[in-house]
Amino acid sequence: QVQVVESGGGLVQAGGSLRLSCAASGSIFSLKDMGWYRQAPGKQRELVAGITSHGITNYADSVKGRFTISRDNAKSTVYLQMNSLKPEDTAVYYCNARLTILVGRTRDLEVWGQGTLVTVSS
């Protein structure tokens, strides 16, 4: 069984920082793109930041310059460093991983974490 587990959410004042982590585990043959999404109350889930297996990153315009995504392939972990947080960053943050497993033959999967709540107070 393959899963990703997020950690690092919590309550922070506006202007503060948080670091989210997401670790993938299980019978992973190769770990491809990873990313962070968020969903605020009453809104659709949106991409926050993504990173390829080669380290190429992309960000939502709303977080550029404030958030940094990185990964440690040896640990199958992706991070999201969030600085200068704003109340509008309040949301449940979800980790997403695209990977390949080997079960007789290779099979591509997309896996979501359970989410971690980030609350930014004004």
Side-chain angles (χ1 to χ4, degrees):
Q1 183 178 358
V2 176
Q3 63 177 357
V4 293
V5 178
E6 305 103 333
S7 61
L11 173 64
V12 64
Q13 288 188 332
S17 298
L18 280 176
R19 189 192 194 208
L20 306 183
S21 299
C22 169
S25 63
S27 301
I28 300 171
F29 180 70
S30 66
L31 196 55
K32 300 179 178 178
D33 298 349
M34 300 186 78
W36 289 95
Y37 290 71
R38 68 186 181 187
Q39 187 166 18
K43 294 188 177 181
Q44 290 189 334
R45 190 174 298 189
E46 62 175 359
L47 175 68
V48 176
I51 186 167
T52 70
S53 58
H54 300 291
I56 298 172
T57 60
N58 65 290
Y59 296 92
D61 288 342
S62 59
V63 307
K64 282 180 181 177
R66 301 188 296 122
F67 290 10
T68 302
I69 189 170
S70 61
R71 64 190 284 169
D72 183 335
N73 289 328
K75 296 181 178 180
S76 299
T77 298
V78 63
Y79 306 96
L80 186 68
Q81 178 66 43
M82 305 185 292
N83 298 329
S84 302
L85 282 161
K86 304 176 181 179
E88 51 264 44
D89 294 318
T90 295
V92 177
Y93 284 70
Y94 297 91
C95 177
N96 174 274
R98 297 179 183 182
L99 49 89
T100 302
I101 61 173
L102 179 61
V103 184
R105 59 178 179 85
T106 57
R107 179 183 170 195
D108 293 333
L109 295 179
E110 182 175 16
V111 183
W112 290 90
Q114 81 286 352
T116 185
L117 177 62
V118 172
T119 304
V120 184
S121 63
S122 56

